Amino acid sequence: MYSTIKENKLEMLIDRNSKSVFKLAELMQMDKKEMFDALSAAYQNAIEENKLNNDDSGIYFKTDFCDVLLVRNQDFSSYADYYLTFKLYEKEKAVQSNIQNQKKISSNDNNYIEYDNLETFADFTNTLYLEEISSLAKKEKWSLNDDDKYAVLRNYLQYTFYKLFHEDKICINPANNFAAFNTGLCTSSYDTIYMCFTVNANQRDNAPKWKYAGVCTPAHSKLGKMLVSHFNPLPQKAEYFKNKQDIIYDTDKTLHIDIDHIIIERINRLPLNFLKQQLFQNEKAINIINTIEISKNANNTELYEKLGNIIKTSTQYYQCLANGFRSVTDRALKIVNWNNDFSVPCYHPKGKAMCFLLPLDFNGNGKPEAALVVSKTVSGNYIGQTILPIEQAYMDARLIKSMEISWLSI
């Protein structure tokens, strides 16, 4: 899903002062600097030995004391592209058992869970869990393209699990041999779907404690009967807002936009036709845009950086692009003022905050090409934090509700 990692320094990817780094340092009885230096050295070694794995789950590498998974950061207020999760090796767990027992997290028997990442919390080897839950759930589109049938569903489950983890809603029975969580999905009969886990019989080094057992609805099938036998009440769904007012965009409040971030740092997310219209008088900029347009390299990072530098160093073209973008956002606000349903609520897990997605129709043809991410401030005003491609915006919004009737479609 994401591009090949080019950064050769860990500090370019994560926040060295993050809570997860501090937590790992505390568990290993090291100070934060010593821990970050150890993680950085392991990351560098993984690069040099070609042992750095990068896939849809994130960036994975090993240290002397734990497995590390860097997960794509969804908090747009953070400069870091990733956040760190980890899993201690068994020998380190034994050494740290007394510390861990004082830091237990889960809902029922307070069993400590190192990962807030679903695919590292449990072993899904040789399972078709995405197919199974897709078949059981009410029908909707789970793919972005033909290359990955379940990209949206995988993202949905990952961040639903993340939210539940931090709400203390991953349920584990008192015997510590059965776990489950509420997926927030339902069947065509509107029965809630739960994902269940049993103890992993595979005791190889670093294997997750839990293994995927299946998905079920309450009391249906053997697994559904086990679910209602183990938990009362049943696992609760993730909670994204306290009251309905949290998901209604207040058009009476002022929207302030982080223009620099959007037109310079995220210029690669602006439609090329829009850039051409605003920068048509700059031959160098137009040549760069044309090169990007015909390039087969989907990233074009260096070209976009050059384009951003042109904007940054020219007051004339900065103003052209800024004014053009403000016109697009003014149109979005008019649309939302006409029909508030066009402001789509979404949730950013790392920021732990509700946001809104506003439609950015750059061509004025009623077909939005991107979404403006808007967050509410303490004062009640709004900040346009960044823009997202439609596909990413859809996945973020799907955490809250299905997009069956929305401008935000894929």
Side-chain angles (χ1 to χ4, degrees), residues 137-142 152-153 155-157 159-160 183-186 240 344-347 357 391-404 408 410:
K138 190 173 179 287
K139 300 301 179 186
E140 63 178 284
K141 187 174 181 180
W142 292 119
V152 177
L153 180 58
N155 184 82
Y156 171 86
L157 290 171
Y159 286 110
T160 296
T183 67
L185 300 174
C186 68
Y240 293 99
V344 177
C346 72
Y347 183 82
L357 299 171
E391 293 82 1
Q392 184 61 53
Y394 182 94
M395 290 200 289
D396 289 349
R398 182 57 191 87
L399 291 173
I400 306 295
K401 63 179 182 179
S402 64
M403 299 286 107
E404 296 171 273
L408 192 56
I410 54 174

Side-chain angles (χ1 to χ4, degrees), residues 248-250 253-256 356 374-376 380-384:
I248 297 176
Y249 188 90
D250 188 349
K253 301 298 183 180
T254 304
L255 171 62
H256 302 274
F356 292 96
V374 177
S375 59
K376 195 171 187 178
N381 289 322
Y382 293 104
I383 295 179

Side-chain angles (χ1 to χ4, degrees), residues 157-403:
L157 290 171
Q158 169 58 55
Y159 286 110
T160 296
F161 180 87
Y162 177 93
K163 185 69 164 67
L164 291 167
F165 175 90
H166 289 281
E167 289 182 356
D168 198 18
K169 291 178 180 176
I170 309 300
C171 294
I172 299 174
N173 71 334
N176 198 24
N177 59 11
F178 190 82
F181 72 89
N182 187 324
T183 67
L185 300 174
C186 68
T187 66
S188 57
S189 301
Y190 298 95
D191 294 318
T192 301
I193 299 173
Y194 298 84
M195 186 174 286
C196 302
F197 308 88
T198 53
V199 174
N200 191 0
N202 187 345
Q203 295 300 312
R204 71 184 190 281
D205 288 344
N206 310 322
K209 173 179 178 178
W210 300 102
K211 183 174 179 61
Y212 170 74
V215 288
C216 66
T217 57
H220 294 171
S221 75
K222 178 180 178 181
L223 205 56
K225 291 179 173 61
M226 291 175 66
L227 177 77
V228 298
S229 296
H230 285 300
F231 303 120
N232 183 21
L234 295 177
Q236 301 297 297
K237 66 180 182 179
E239 183 180 86
Y240 293 99
F241 53 90
K242 297 295 184 183
N243 57 69
K244 291 183 178 180
Q245 293 302 314
D246 293 337
I247 58 172
I248 297 176
Y249 188 90
D250 188 349
T251 55
D252 290 332
K253 301 298 183 180
T254 304
L255 171 62
H256 302 274
I257 301 171
D258 188 349
I259 286 289
D260 283 10
H261 171 75
I262 292 171
I263 69 172
I264 297 175
E265 296 174 21
R266 291 293 180 264
I267 193 170
N268 61 312
R269 295 178 181 174
L270 295 171
L272 294 179
N273 285 338
F274 172 73
L275 292 174
K276 282 184 177 182
Q277 290 170 6
Q278 306 304 318
L279 306 174
F280 72 95
Q281 291 183 322
N282 188 305
E283 184 178 354
K284 186 177 180 180
I286 293 299
N287 288 337
I288 292 174
I289 295 169
N290 288 335
T291 303
I292 292 172
E293 206 165 31
I294 63 175
S295 174
K296 294 182 180 179
N297 181 357
N299 294 320
N300 290 306
T301 304
E302 292 182 4
L303 291 173
Y304 276 115
E305 286 179 357
K306 290 179 181 178
L307 196 56
N309 285 331
I310 291 174
I311 306 305
K312 187 162 44 176
T313 56
S314 170
T315 302
Q316 176 186 350
Y317 294 111
Y318 176 93
Q319 289 300 330
C320 283
L321 202 53
N323 290 338
F325 186 79
R326 287 193 180 96
S327 294
V328 175
T329 57
D330 287 345
R331 182 185 297 126
L333 289 173
K334 289 178 182 178
I335 293 171
V336 172
N337 192 50
W338 172 71
N339 184 346
N340 206 281
D341 288 344
F342 279 84
S343 63
V344 177
C346 72
Y347 183 82
H348 294 300
K350 286 299 290 181
K352 298 181 180 179
M354 289 290 300
C355 294
F356 292 96
L357 299 171
L358 304 189
L360 296 177
D361 179 5
F362 290 90
N363 293 317
N365 60 6
K367 296 180 180 179
E369 296 177 80
L372 179 67
V373 180
V374 177
S375 59
K376 195 171 187 178
T377 66
V378 176
S379 69
N381 289 322
Y382 293 104
I383 295 179
Q385 300 275 17
T386 192
I387 63 172
L388 291 177
I390 291 295
E391 293 82 1
Q392 184 61 53
Y394 182 94
M395 290 200 289
D396 289 349
R398 182 57 191 87
L399 291 173
I400 306 295
K401 63 179 182 179
S402 64
M403 299 286 107

